[in-house]
């Protein structure tokens, strides 16, 4: 089954679940869990709004490669997504493509397509977000220069953002993001 079906229990709408079961794996579906989404933003967003309210802001969030994905989703759909918390990201997709560059890479690499974005309507939707948060630590395996470079690009487009660079004790790892997220929820929302 493709898409989003809010009547199914967690795991039931997953093609992966069916393939695992068909390969004789045991999959336990916990009816206490909520459904998972495997569809598109145009399907899950009405579900979120229906389950909460039409005024509910939708903020994407991701760490590491997920920061690039969450930022990319927000920048591509500011009509549906109201903001982003991007933690420890690199926003140049060519950092992950081993030199490969084509239209797919370009249009999914915020460092590339934002510098050429001239559509006033989309830019204004991005600019009105109150929640464009870019976080990076400065410790092991972090790349604060990637965040600073991307923030500079946003600045050149007149896009408001918050760049938050923490110290060297904050490395590219889950304990950092576990400390950061509650702090952001308490102080920014």
């Amino acid at each position: 089954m493709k898409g989003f079906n809010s009547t199914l229990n967690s795991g039931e709408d997953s093609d992966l679940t069916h393939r695992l079961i068909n390969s004789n794996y045991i999959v336990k579906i916990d009816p206490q869990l909520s459904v998972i989404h495997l569809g598109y933003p145009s399907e899950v967003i009405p579900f979120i709004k229906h389950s909460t309210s039409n005024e509910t802001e939708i903020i994407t969030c991701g760490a590491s490669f997920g920061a690039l994905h969450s930022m990319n989703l927000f920048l591509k759909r500011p009509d549906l997504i109201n903001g982003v918390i991007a933690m420890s990201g690199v926003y140049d997709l060519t950092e992950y493509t081993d030199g490969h560059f084509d239209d797919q890479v370009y249009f999914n690499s915020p460092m590339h397509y934002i510098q050429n974005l001239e559509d006033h309507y989309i830019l204004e939707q991005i600019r009105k977000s109150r929640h464009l948060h870019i976080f990076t630590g400065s410790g092991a395996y972090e790349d604060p220069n990637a965040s600073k470079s991307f923030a500079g690009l946003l600045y050149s487009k007149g896009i408001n953002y918050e760049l938050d660079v923490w110290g060297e004790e904050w490395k590219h790892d889950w304990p950092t993001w576990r400390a950061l997220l509650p702090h952001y929820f308490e102080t920014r929302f």
Side-chain angles (χ1 to χ4, degrees):
M1 170 182 290
K2 292 190 179 216
F4 183 74
N5 182 341
S6 63
T7 65
L8 297 178
N9 286 324
S10 179
E12 288 183 41
D13 62 339
S14 169
D15 177 60
L16 174 62
T17 300
H18 294 291
R19 286 185 290 144
L20 289 170
I21 291 170
N22 291 337
S23 297
N24 296 320
Y25 286 91
I26 297 172
V27 176
K28 294 183 179 181
I29 297 173
D30 186 343
Q32 305 233 342
L33 296 175
S34 300
V35 297
I36 59 171
H37 172 64
L38 298 175
Y40 299 98
S42 62
E43 298 167 341
V44 74
I45 289 175
F47 172 76
I48 292 170
K49 298 288 187 178
H50 176 75
S51 298
T52 57
S53 78
N54 283 330
E55 290 74 40
T56 298
E57 290 187 324
I58 298 173
I59 311 292
T60 58
C61 180
S64 194
F65 196 43
L68 183 144
H69 289 299
S70 61
M71 182 65 73
N72 197 30
L73 181 57
F74 164 68
L75 294 172
K76 287 184 170 193
R77 294 308 306 263
D79 58 320
L80 298 174
I81 308 298
N82 303 101
V84 58
I85 301 172
M87 304 177 290
S88 304
V90 172
Y91 307 96
D92 178 348
L93 189 57
T94 61
E95 293 285 325
Y96 303 98
T97 62
D98 201 28
H100 177 77
F101 190 82
D102 62 10
D103 282 352
Q104 289 294 322
V105 173
Y106 174 85
F107 287 110
N108 288 288
S109 180
M111 276 300 291
H112 289 95
Y113 69 77
I114 286 295
Q115 62 187 311
N116 298 315
L117 181 61
E118 299 296 331
D119 185 306
H120 180 73
Y121 178 73
I122 292 174
L123 282 169
E124 285 306 307
Q125 286 183 317
I126 294 168
R127 288 175 183 138
K128 64 181 190 182
S129 174
R130 298 175 297 113
H131 294 292
L132 204 162
H133 307 283
I134 302 167
F135 163 82
T136 183
S138 298
Y141 305 105
E142 285 283 16
D143 188 355
N145 289 330
S147 294
K148 292 174 184 177
S149 178
F150 186 64
L153 179 58
L154 294 174
Y155 179 81
S156 75
K157 290 295 197 175
I159 297 170
N160 294 320
Y161 61 89
E162 175 189 21
L163 173 62
D164 196 4
V165 181
W166 287 13
E168 302 230 351
E169 68 277 17
W170 300 100
K171 57 187 177 181
H172 194 89
D173 202 359
W174 287 107
T176 295
W177 307 319
R178 281 189 202 117
L180 169 84
L181 217 44
H183 170 73
Y184 266 52
F185 289 144
E186 292 168 9
T187 60
R188 272 64 169 193
F189 293 90

